[in-house]
Amino acid sequence: MESNEKTTDMLEELLGNPLSIKVLCQRYEIDKEIEDITLYRESVMIDPQKNLIVSQNFVRLFPKYIPRSFYYNMIWKRKGIGHYLNQLNIKTSRLITSCGFTKDAEMTNHFQKSVRILFHSKNLPIPFKKYDIYFDNFAVPGFSIIEYFNPEIFSGKN
């Protein structure tokens, strides 16, 4: 989880299958701290061949720090961030802000509210990674992502 590369690519290589994204919700939030509107998005990454939820993502998008054409196409088509970045070959950099393991009861979103994951953890520690994605020409991240990974994908039994 300390990988600073594209997470989707890493997971597809690990599982040996292309993954798909299902957007669970997408809504705008007024962010008083930065005096702007942000987009909040929850999604799951699925291995359709194994009918397995691979990860669950909680994303804050900061529209003014994302290239406009990328932003509009992504939200309208409700596509996964990683797949869309690859498809358009958009240059980004990532900064991991935290990673490790957590328990079901300790998982939160960007607003420090408890979240419920859609995969079964079987009381195993849940790997997670929090990271920011920066686009060229912007010093502020366009995305802030919290991703919780199904521990089953690392057990070798998937």
Side-chain angles (χ1 to χ4, degrees):
M1 295 301 90
E2 293 178 11
S3 167
N4 205 17
E5 299 299 318
K6 293 180 180 172
T7 306
T8 303
D9 292 349
M10 178 196 67
L11 291 170
E12 286 180 334
E13 187 173 319
L14 174 71
L15 296 168
N17 295 317
L19 302 176
S20 62
I21 303 296
K22 179 179 180 184
V23 176
L24 303 174
C25 76
Q26 186 169 283
R27 67 181 179 273
Y28 288 94
E29 303 276 341
I30 296 174
D31 190 323
K32 294 176 183 172
E33 283 182 40
I34 62 172
E35 298 178 356
D36 200 7
I37 294 175
T38 62
L39 181 71
Y40 180 73
R41 183 181 200 181
E42 292 180 29
S43 62
V44 289
M45 191 176 313
I46 301 168
D47 182 336
Q49 292 184 6
K50 297 176 183 167
N51 196 27
L52 176 72
I53 294 176
V54 174
S55 69
Q56 189 162 340
N57 301 286
F58 301 87
V59 182
R60 284 186 72 194
L61 295 87
F62 304 94
K64 68 182 184 182
Y65 304 113
I66 298 172
R68 289 275 180 243
S69 61
F70 172 80
Y71 173 74
Y72 289 120
N73 280 305
M74 187 197 68
I75 61 169
W76 287 334
K77 295 179 182 178
R78 297 174 70 97
K79 288 194 171 201
I81 296 165
H83 284 133
Y84 208 60
L85 289 172
N86 283 344
Q87 181 182 0
L88 297 176
N89 198 26
I90 295 177
K91 294 188 187 280
T92 60
S93 61
R94 289 161 172 69
L95 174 65
I96 297 173
T97 57
S98 180
C99 65
F101 295 88
T102 190
K103 298 176 186 171
D104 282 344
E106 299 171 349
M107 292 187 300
T108 62
N109 62 17
H110 291 89
F111 308 104
Q112 303 309 311
K113 292 184 180 176
S114 293
V115 295
R116 199 180 110 240
I117 52 171
L118 299 180
F119 53 82
H120 300 289
S121 68
K122 300 178 184 173
N123 294 321
L124 294 170
I126 298 168
F128 76 92
K129 179 164 79 170
K130 296 180 182 181
Y131 59 103
D132 296 330
I133 297 179
Y134 294 80
F135 291 86
D136 283 356
N137 303 320
F138 293 104
V140 175
F143 297 102
S144 180
I145 301 171
I146 302 172
E147 188 163 11
Y148 295 102
F149 301 93
N150 185 340
E152 195 173 306
I153 65 171
F154 301 105
S155 70
K157 298 176 186 173
N158 53 49

